[in-house]
Amino acid sequence: MGIVKASALLNDLIEKAGGCAVVDGGLATQLEKHGASINDPLWSALCLIKDPDLVKRVHLEYLEAGADILVTSSYQATIPGFLSRGLSIEEAESLLEKSVKLAVEARDKFWNVVKRNPRQSYNRALVAASIGSYGAYLADGSEYSGDYGPHVSLDKLKDFHRHRLQVLVDAGPDILAFETIPNKLEAQACVELLEEENVQIPSWICFSSVDGKNAPSGESFKDCLDVINRSDKVSAFGINCAPPHFIQTLIQELKELTAKAIIVYPNSGEIWDGISKRWLPSKCFDDEKFEQFAPIWRDAGAKLIGGCCRTTPSTIQAISKALKERSGFD
């Protein structure tokens, strides 16, 4: 399947969803709600080792809530990270493959049940393989600053991402999801890797933002999009794990800078302290606020909307309900 045909899967899903598809919510948040202890450099990927059935359960909960896209548990699952735990390369590769397999199994199980009901309003979900930024692997909060230091080069970032990307692509997801990219250099590394590895499935690249105007590094999104806009392997661009009160303005800005589909999945508005490893209270959105603003974000130009850290299946249910009611799909 060529990249054009593969990208049509995402475009078709957006169309079937009424012009705006729903991405799932915070995986780690929901794992913790079920009692998982993941205060660990591997974060949610720790459950790939300790409790893979719980990962699948959470995927199913998001599907039941109305998610059109499942994001895998591989955000902080890296070959170096697993090797540091004493695992072999083969075991690390197997865990990355498992992250995709669990999401695919959940999707297929759910769809095989709901498709029999002619009155159901669900879409057959797509699976997006999460590729967290280099800063996510460092687990020091640098994905929110973009400050990787002077010794992190373009080649080093490509070398870091390459093996994981190869394994995840071979595992058979529908989409690649590069998440919380903090600077132009890493975006360039992602784009060049897609070309060098001749990846034939669509991708999205998401940045965060700590000021509501720029990338975490301080670079403008215009500069960051210069390299992304030239790639036909990137189907969508947007924002994840940024405060929700930034989103409307950011969508409007991004619409002026790219013809790619806009994707947004903000966090709840709480602020992550990478040093103390905890969320700090801030200007937060509850589920009602997400329900209120999801149609506003769609009308501003977003084609994919979901939630990130501190959002739950109830958040996604609220978003799905609001978007379907507004599109007349309810």
Side-chain angles (χ1 to χ4, degrees), residues 13 21-27 30 34 53-72 99-115 120-128 174-175 305-307 311-321 324:
L13 176 65
V22 179
V23 184
D24 65 8
L27 179 67
Q30 192 66 5
H34 287 303
D53 288 341
L54 181 57
V55 175
K56 187 189 289 190
R57 176 182 173 184
V58 171
H59 285 321
L60 285 166
E61 289 171 343
Y62 276 115
L63 290 168
E64 290 166 0
D68 297 310
I69 297 177
L70 290 177
V71 181
T72 64
S99 72
V100 176
K101 181 181 178 183
L102 291 169
V104 169
E105 287 177 349
R107 185 267 310 278
D108 292 347
K109 178 180 180 179
F110 183 76
W111 184 243
N112 285 337
V113 173
V114 300
K115 71 179 181 181
Q120 60 87 16
S121 60
Y122 294 101
N123 298 302
R124 182 180 181 275
L126 299 181
V127 170
D174 302 298
I175 308 166
I305 298 175
T311 64
T312 66
S314 66
T315 312
I316 298 310
Q317 185 174 37
I319 291 172
S320 178
K321 176 176 178 286
K324 286 177 180 176

Side-chain angles (χ1 to χ4, degrees), residues 73-312:
S73 52
S74 50
Y75 176 75
Q76 276 178 226
T78 66
I79 302 292
F82 286 134
L83 293 180
S84 71
R85 304 300 284 261
L87 300 177
S88 67
I89 289 180
E90 292 75 15
E91 289 169 327
E93 291 173 339
S94 178
L95 288 168
L96 285 169
E97 291 166 356
K98 182 183 287 186
S99 72
V100 176
K101 181 181 178 183
L102 291 169
V104 169
E105 287 177 349
R107 185 267 310 278
D108 292 347
K109 178 180 180 179
F110 183 76
W111 184 243
N112 285 337
V113 173
V114 300
K115 71 179 181 181
R116 299 172 191 160
N117 180 359
R119 300 186 65 182
Q120 60 87 16
S121 60
Y122 294 101
N123 298 302
R124 182 180 181 275
L126 299 181
V127 170
S130 173
I131 299 178
S133 62
Y134 181 64
Y137 157 69
L138 296 176
D140 62 357
S142 57
E143 69 266 44
Y144 300 109
S145 71
D147 183 7
Y148 289 163
H151 303 298
V152 176
S153 64
L154 178 65
D155 286 340
K156 180 169 183 173
L157 289 171
K158 287 198 289 186
D159 289 344
F160 168 75
H161 283 298
R162 191 182 304 274
H163 192 175
R164 174 171 54 164
L165 180 144
Q166 291 168 336
V167 174
L168 288 172
V169 169
D170 288 346
D174 302 298
I175 308 166
L176 289 180
F178 295 96
E179 302 188 288
T180 59
I181 302 301
N183 54 43
K184 182 179 179 179
L185 185 68
E186 192 160 16
Q188 182 177 349
C190 296
V191 168
E192 291 189 11
L193 269 181
L194 292 172
E195 295 292 340
E196 291 171 12
E197 298 298 322
N198 194 26
V199 173
Q200 294 297 304
I201 58 174
S203 302
W204 75 57
I205 295 179
C206 279
F207 278 65
S208 185
S209 179
V210 295
D211 63 3
K213 298 177 182 178
N214 302 295
S217 61
E219 296 163 302
S220 72
F221 285 119
K222 182 179 185 300
D223 286 344
C224 295
L225 276 160
D226 282 345
V227 63
I228 294 169
N229 280 336
R230 293 196 293 268
S231 174
D232 64 356
K233 295 184 181 296
V234 180
S235 297
F237 176 83
I239 305 295
N240 80 289
C241 216
H245 54 278
F246 290 165
I247 296 301
Q248 184 177 353
T249 301
L250 284 168
I251 294 170
Q252 292 166 343
E253 178 184 353
L254 296 180
K255 282 289 290 181
E256 298 297 318
L257 298 174
T258 185
K260 297 185 184 298
I262 303 297
I263 175 170
V264 293
Y265 47 116
N267 57 38
S268 67
E270 294 163 85
I271 298 172
W272 176 248
D273 184 333
I275 304 301
S276 64
K277 301 290 191 289
R278 64 191 182 96
W279 289 96
L280 305 177
S282 186
K283 185 178 179 181
C284 299
F285 270 35
D286 58 16
D287 293 348
E288 289 184 4
K289 278 282 192 179
F290 273 98
E291 183 174 351
Q292 175 187 346
F293 276 86
I296 295 172
W297 297 337
R298 184 182 66 177
D299 293 346
K303 296 294 185 182
L304 300 133
I305 298 175
C308 202
C309 296
R310 311 296 279 179
T311 64
T312 66

